[in-house]
Amino acid sequence: MAPVQNSSSRVPASVNDYTVLPLSIPPTDSFPQATKHYLYLRPNAPKVATENTPRELFVVNLPIDATETHLRSLFATHGAGARVERVEFEGTRTGKKLTAPVTSKSGKKRKRGGDGESKMVELPELWDRRVGRSGNTCVVVFVDASAAEMALKEVKKVVKAGKEVVWGAETEKVPALGAARYLSHHALRFPSTAALQASVDAYMTAFAEQEATRARLLARQRAEPDEDGFITVTRGGRMGPARQEEAQEKAEKQKEKQKGKEDFYRFQMREKRKEKANELLKGFEEDRKKVEAMKMKRNKFRPN
């Protein structure tokens, strides 16, 4: 399929399924020249579709300073005011957020009942604005499927008419980059006591909830038989002296049961007779040595 040519330039209006949207990036202090950048958009088509897929647009080759505010402004201005619900950038969409995993003591996932699964607790942010890598991607989720279709349709009209789209023209509230961003990062590295306490409280609350869920699951597994009628053997249960006393009781009962079986076989009786004979012989030898010692002691003091 040959790409459709834009009437105002040599840049194609589309490449395969992607609509090519030229952006004009205004000059900055660090780079005092206006530049061109190209976004590629198409309806999202993941391998495994979800209920949100019809209202999603897949955007490729984002500028490194792209934020959710930039994309909301872009579609509000050049997408007929299509309302954006959220923007999922590459990395954050797959769950790679600044979070801390809360896991059980074992730290492993269990197959039955999901015991030990980790729960994510968000940590305080250290940057007031994200900076992506070159060529980053995102998924723009609109409020409904019709809004996504309208936004893409209007963008195609803008491309066909050759209108200039200025990147970041209506995003004055976005935090600044450069030195200001690093000064803000330095301040955010030392959060307030209240913010730290809130983060710790959230972590400990999630941990306590997970431990309580795990304890309830183990108790249920020890009490309820499975489909085959067997009780699942699990770690845990009663702890401390009560459990030790129970183990000692079981050991004593086991010894009592074994007492009646000591003379059951002939070899056991022979072994028992041999042990008794050896004990008698050992006692006789000890008594003989004592008598000899007493005789020698008595002869020592007898006058000649």
Coordinates of all heavy atoms in Angstrom, one line a residue, residues 250-297:
K250 N 2.2 -36.7 72.5 CA 2.1 -37.7 71.4 C 3.3 -38.6 71.5 O 3.2 -39.8 71.2 CB 2.1 -36.9 70.0 CG 0.8 -36.2 69.7 CD 0.8 -35.6 68.3 CE -0.5 -34.9 68.0 NZ -0.5 -34.3 66.7
A251 N 4.5 -38.1 71.8 CA 5.7 -38.9 71.9 C 5.5 -40.0 73.1 O 5.9 -41.2 72.9 CB 6.9 -38.1 72.2
E252 N 4.9 -39.5 74.2 CA 4.7 -40.5 75.3 C 3.7 -41.5 74.9 O 3.9 -42.7 75.2 CB 4.2 -39.7 76.5 CG 5.2 -38.8 77.1 CD 6.4 -39.5 77.7 OE1 6.3 -40.7 78.1 OE2 7.5 -38.9 77.8
K253 N 2.7 -41.2 74.2 CA 1.7 -42.2 73.8 C 2.3 -43.2 72.8 O 2.0 -44.3 72.9 CB 0.5 -41.4 73.1 CG -0.4 -40.7 74.1 CD -1.5 -40.0 73.4 CE -2.4 -39.2 74.3 NZ -3.5 -38.5 73.7
Q254 N 3.2 -42.7 72.0 CA 3.8 -43.5 71.0 C 4.7 -44.6 71.7 O 4.8 -45.7 71.4 CB 4.7 -42.7 70.0 CG 5.2 -43.5 68.8 CD 4.1 -44.0 67.9 OE1 3.0 -43.4 67.9 NE2 4.4 -45.0 67.1
K255 N 5.4 -44.1 72.8 CA 6.3 -45.0 73.6 C 5.4 -46.1 74.3 O 5.8 -47.3 74.3 CB 7.0 -44.2 74.6 CG 8.2 -43.4 74.0 CD 8.9 -42.7 75.1 CE 10.1 -41.9 74.6 NZ 10.8 -41.1 75.6
E256 N 4.3 -45.7 74.8 CA 3.4 -46.6 75.5 C 2.9 -47.7 74.5 O 2.7 -48.9 74.8 CB 2.2 -45.9 76.1 CG 2.6 -45.1 77.3 CD 1.4 -44.3 77.9 OE1 0.3 -44.5 77.4 OE2 1.6 -43.6 78.9
K257 N 2.6 -47.2 73.3 CA 2.1 -48.2 72.3 C 3.2 -49.2 71.9 O 2.9 -50.4 71.6 CB 1.7 -47.5 71.0 CG 0.4 -46.7 71.2 CD 0.0 -46.0 69.9 CE -1.3 -45.2 70.0 NZ -1.7 -44.5 68.8
Q258 N 4.5 -48.8 71.9 CA 5.6 -49.6 71.5 C 6.0 -50.6 72.6 O 6.6 -51.6 72.4 CB 6.8 -48.8 71.2 CG 6.6 -47.9 69.9 CD 6.5 -48.8 68.7 OE1 7.0 -49.9 68.6 NE2 5.7 -48.3 67.7
K259 N 5.5 -50.3 73.9 CA 5.9 -51.2 75.0 C 5.4 -52.6 74.8 O 6.1 -53.6 75.1 CB 5.4 -50.6 76.3 CG 6.3 -49.5 76.8 CD 5.8 -49.0 78.2 CE 6.6 -47.9 78.7 NZ 6.1 -47.4 80.0
G260 N 4.2 -52.8 74.4 CA 3.6 -54.1 74.2 C 4.2 -54.9 73.1 O 3.9 -56.1 72.9
K261 N 5.0 -54.3 72.2 CA 5.5 -55.0 71.1 C 7.0 -55.3 71.2 O 7.6 -55.7 70.2 CB 5.3 -54.1 69.8 CG 3.8 -53.8 69.5 CD 3.7 -52.9 68.3 CE 2.2 -52.6 68.0 NZ 2.1 -51.8 66.8
E262 N 7.6 -55.1 72.4 CA 9.0 -55.3 72.6 C 9.4 -56.8 72.5 O 10.5 -57.1 72.0 CB 9.5 -54.7 73.9 CG 9.5 -53.2 74.0 CD 9.9 -52.7 75.3 OE1 10.1 -53.5 76.2 OE2 10.0 -51.4 75.5
D263 N 8.6 -57.7 73.0 CA 8.9 -59.1 73.0 C 8.0 -59.9 72.0 O 7.6 -61.0 72.2 CB 8.6 -59.7 74.4 CG 9.5 -59.0 75.5 OD1 10.6 -58.5 75.1 OD2 9.1 -58.9 76.6
F264 N 7.7 -59.3 71.0 CA 6.8 -59.9 70.0 C 7.6 -60.9 69.1 O 7.1 -62.0 68.9 CB 6.2 -58.8 69.1 CG 5.2 -59.4 68.1 CD1 3.9 -59.7 68.6 CD2 5.5 -59.6 66.8 CE1 2.9 -60.2 67.7 CE2 4.6 -60.1 65.9 CZ 3.3 -60.4 66.4
Y265 N 8.8 -60.6 68.7 CA 9.6 -61.5 67.9 C 10.6 -62.3 68.8 O 11.0 -61.8 69.8 CB 10.3 -60.7 66.8 CG 9.4 -60.0 65.8 CD1 9.1 -58.7 65.9 CD2 8.8 -60.8 64.8 CE1 8.3 -58.0 65.1 CE2 7.9 -60.1 63.9 CZ 7.7 -58.8 64.1 OH 6.8 -58.2 63.2
R266 N 11.0 -63.5 68.3 CA 12.0 -64.3 69.0 C 13.4 -63.6 69.1 O 14.0 -63.7 70.2 CB 12.2 -65.7 68.3 CG 11.0 -66.6 68.5 CD 11.3 -68.0 67.9 NE 10.1 -68.8 68.1 CZ 10.1 -70.1 67.6 NH1 11.2 -70.6 67.0 NH2 9.0 -70.9 67.8
F267 N 13.8 -63.0 68.1 CA 15.1 -62.4 68.2 C 15.1 -61.3 69.2 O 16.1 -61.0 69.8 CB 15.5 -61.8 66.8 CG 14.9 -60.5 66.4 CD1 15.4 -59.3 66.7 CD2 13.7 -60.6 65.7 CE1 14.8 -58.1 66.3 CE2 13.1 -59.4 65.3 CZ 13.7 -58.2 65.6
Q268 N 13.9 -60.6 69.4 CA 13.9 -59.6 70.4 C 14.0 -60.2 71.8 O 14.7 -59.7 72.7 CB 12.5 -58.9 70.4 CG 12.4 -58.0 69.2 CD 11.0 -57.3 69.1 OE1 10.0 -57.9 69.5 NE2 11.0 -56.1 68.5
M269 N 13.4 -61.4 72.0 CA 13.6 -62.1 73.3 C 15.0 -62.5 73.5 O 15.6 -62.4 74.6 CB 12.6 -63.3 73.4 CG 11.2 -62.9 73.5 SD 10.0 -64.2 73.8 CE 10.0 -65.0 72.2
R270 N 15.7 -63.1 72.5 CA 17.1 -63.5 72.6 C 18.0 -62.3 72.9 O 18.9 -62.4 73.8 CB 17.6 -64.1 71.3 CG 17.0 -65.5 71.1 CD 17.8 -66.3 70.0 NE 17.8 -65.6 68.8 CZ 17.0 -65.8 67.8 NH1 16.0 -66.6 67.9 NH2 17.1 -65.1 66.6
E271 N 17.7 -61.2 72.2 CA 18.5 -60.0 72.5 C 18.3 -59.5 73.9 O 19.3 -59.1 74.6 CB 18.2 -58.9 71.5 CG 18.6 -59.2 70.1 CD 20.1 -59.2 69.9 OE1 20.8 -58.5 70.6 OE2 20.5 -59.9 69.0
K272 N 17.1 -59.6 74.4 CA 16.8 -59.1 75.7 C 17.5 -60.0 76.8 O 18.1 -59.5 77.8 CB 15.3 -59.1 76.0 CG 14.9 -58.3 77.2 CD 13.4 -58.2 77.2 CE 13.0 -57.3 78.4 NZ 11.6 -57.1 78.5
R273 N 17.6 -61.4 76.5 CA 18.3 -62.3 77.5 C 19.8 -62.0 77.5 O 20.4 -62.0 78.5 CB 18.0 -63.7 77.1 CG 16.6 -64.2 77.5 CD 16.5 -65.7 77.5 NE 16.7 -66.3 76.1 CZ 15.7 -66.5 75.3 NH1 14.5 -66.2 75.6 NH2 16.0 -67.0 74.1
K274 N 20.3 -61.8 76.3 CA 21.8 -61.5 76.2 C 22.1 -60.2 76.9 O 23.1 -60.1 77.6 CB 22.2 -61.3 74.7 CG 22.3 -62.6 73.9 CD 22.7 -62.4 72.5 CE 22.8 -63.7 71.7 NZ 23.2 -63.4 70.3
E275 N 21.3 -59.2 76.8 CA 21.5 -57.9 77.5 C 21.5 -58.1 79.0 O 22.3 -57.6 79.7 CB 20.5 -56.9 77.1 CG 20.7 -56.4 75.6 CD 19.6 -55.4 75.3 OE1 18.7 -55.0 76.1 OE2 19.6 -54.9 74.1
K276 N 20.5 -58.9 79.5 CA 20.4 -59.2 80.9 C 21.6 -60.0 81.4 O 22.2 -59.7 82.5 CB 19.1 -59.9 81.2 CG 18.8 -60.1 82.7 CD 17.5 -60.8 82.9 CE 16.4 -59.8 82.5 NZ 15.0 -60.4 82.8
A277 N 22.1 -61.0 80.6 CA 23.3 -61.8 81.0 C 24.5 -60.9 81.0 O 25.3 -61.0 82.0 CB 23.4 -62.9 80.0
N278 N 24.6 -60.0 80.1 CA 25.8 -59.1 80.1 C 25.8 -58.2 81.3 O 26.8 -57.9 81.9 CB 25.8 -58.3 78.8 CG 26.2 -59.2 77.6 OD1 26.8 -60.2 77.7 ND2 25.7 -58.7 76.4
E279 N 24.6 -57.7 81.6 CA 24.5 -56.8 82.8 C 24.9 -57.6 84.1 O 25.6 -57.0 84.9 CB 23.1 -56.3 82.9 CG 22.7 -55.2 81.8 CD 21.3 -54.8 81.9 OE1 20.6 -55.2 82.9 OE2 20.9 -53.9 81.1
L280 N 24.4 -58.9 84.2 CA 24.8 -59.7 85.4 C 26.3 -59.9 85.5 O 26.9 -59.8 86.5 CB 24.0 -61.0 85.4 CG 22.5 -60.9 85.6 CD1 21.8 -62.2 85.4 CD2 22.2 -60.4 87.0
L281 N 26.9 -60.2 84.3 CA 28.3 -60.5 84.2 C 29.1 -59.3 84.6 O 30.1 -59.3 85.3 CB 28.7 -61.0 82.9 CG 30.2 -61.4 82.6 CD1 30.6 -62.5 83.6 CD2 30.4 -61.8 81.2
K282 N 28.7 -58.1 84.1 CA 29.3 -56.9 84.4 C 29.2 -56.6 85.9 O 30.2 -56.2 86.6 CB 28.7 -55.8 83.6 CG 29.4 -54.4 83.8 CD 28.7 -53.4 82.9 CE 29.4 -52.0 83.1 NZ 28.7 -51.0 82.2
G283 N 28.1 -56.8 86.5 CA 27.9 -56.6 87.9 C 28.8 -57.6 88.8 O 29.3 -57.2 89.8
F284 N 28.9 -58.8 88.3 CA 29.7 -59.8 89.0 C 31.2 -59.4 89.0 O 31.8 -59.4 90.1 CB 29.5 -61.2 88.4 CG 30.4 -62.2 89.0 CD1 30.2 -62.8 90.2 CD2 31.6 -62.6 88.3 CE1 31.1 -63.7 90.7 CE2 32.5 -63.5 88.8 CZ 32.2 -64.1 90.1
E285 N 31.7 -58.9 87.9 CA 33.0 -58.5 87.8 C 33.3 -57.3 88.7 O 34.3 -57.2 89.3 CB 33.4 -58.1 86.3 CG 33.5 -59.3 85.4 CD 34.6 -60.2 85.8 OE1 35.6 -59.8 86.4 OE2 34.5 -61.4 85.5
E286 N 32.4 -56.4 88.7 CA 32.5 -55.2 89.6 C 32.6 -55.6 91.1 O 33.4 -55.1 91.8 CB 31.4 -54.2 89.3 CG 31.5 -53.5 88.0 CD 30.3 -52.6 87.7 OE1 29.4 -52.5 88.6 OE2 30.3 -51.8 86.7
D287 N 31.7 -56.5 91.5 CA 31.7 -57.0 92.8 C 32.9 -57.8 93.2 O 33.5 -57.6 94.3 CB 30.4 -57.9 93.1 CG 29.1 -57.1 93.0 OD1 29.2 -55.9 93.1 OD2 28.1 -57.8 92.8
R288 N 33.5 -58.6 92.3 CA 34.7 -59.3 92.5 C 35.9 -58.3 92.8 O 36.7 -58.5 93.7 CB 35.0 -60.2 91.4 CG 36.2 -61.2 91.6 CD 36.3 -62.1 90.4 NE 36.7 -61.3 89.2 CZ 37.9 -60.9 89.0 NH1 38.9 -61.1 89.8 NH2 38.2 -60.2 87.9
K289 N 35.9 -57.3 91.9 CA 37.0 -56.3 92.1 C 36.9 -55.6 93.5 O 37.9 -55.3 94.1 CB 37.0 -55.3 91.0 CG 37.4 -55.8 89.6 CD 37.3 -54.8 88.5 CE 37.7 -55.3 87.2 NZ 37.6 -54.3 86.1
K290 N 35.7 -55.3 93.9 CA 35.5 -54.7 95.2 C 36.0 -55.6 96.3 O 36.6 -55.1 97.3 CB 34.0 -54.3 95.4 CG 33.6 -53.1 94.5 CD 32.1 -52.9 94.8 CE 31.6 -51.7 93.9 NZ 30.2 -51.4 94.2
V291 N 35.6 -56.9 96.2 CA 36.1 -57.9 97.3 C 37.6 -58.0 97.3 O 38.2 -58.0 98.4 CB 35.4 -59.2 97.0 CG1 36.0 -60.3 98.0 CG2 33.9 -59.2 97.2
E292 N 38.2 -58.0 96.2 CA 39.7 -58.1 96.1 C 40.3 -56.9 96.7 O 41.3 -56.9 97.5 CB 40.2 -58.3 94.7 CG 39.8 -59.6 94.0 CD 40.6 -60.7 94.7 OE1 41.7 -60.5 95.2 OE2 40.1 -61.9 94.6
A293 N 39.7 -55.7 96.4 CA 40.3 -54.5 97.0 C 40.1 -54.5 98.5 O 41.0 -54.0 99.2 CB 39.6 -53.3 96.4
M294 N 39.0 -55.0 99.0 CA 38.8 -55.0 100.5 C 39.8 -56.0 101.1 O 40.3 -55.7 102.2 CB 37.4 -55.4 100.8 CG 36.3 -54.4 100.4 SD 34.6 -54.9 100.6 CE 34.6 -55.2 102.4
K295 N 40.1 -57.1 100.5 CA 41.0 -58.1 101.0 C 42.4 -57.5 101.1 O 43.1 -57.7 102.1 CB 41.0 -59.4 100.2 CG 39.8 -60.3 100.4 CD 40.0 -61.5 99.5 CE 38.8 -62.5 99.7 NZ 39.0 -63.7 98.9
M296 N 42.8 -56.8 100.1 CA 44.2 -56.2 100.1 C 44.3 -55.2 101.1 O 45.3 -55.0 101.8 CB 44.5 -55.6 98.7 CG 44.6 -56.7 97.6 SD 45.0 -55.9 96.0 CE 46.6 -55.2 96.4
K297 N 43.2 -54.4 101.3 CA 43.2 -53.4 102.3 C 43.3 -54.0 103.7 O 44.0 -53.5 104.6 CB 42.0 -52.5 102.1 CG 42.0 -51.3 103.0 CD 40.7 -50.5 102.7 CE 40.7 -49.2 103.6 NZ 39.5 -48.4 103.3

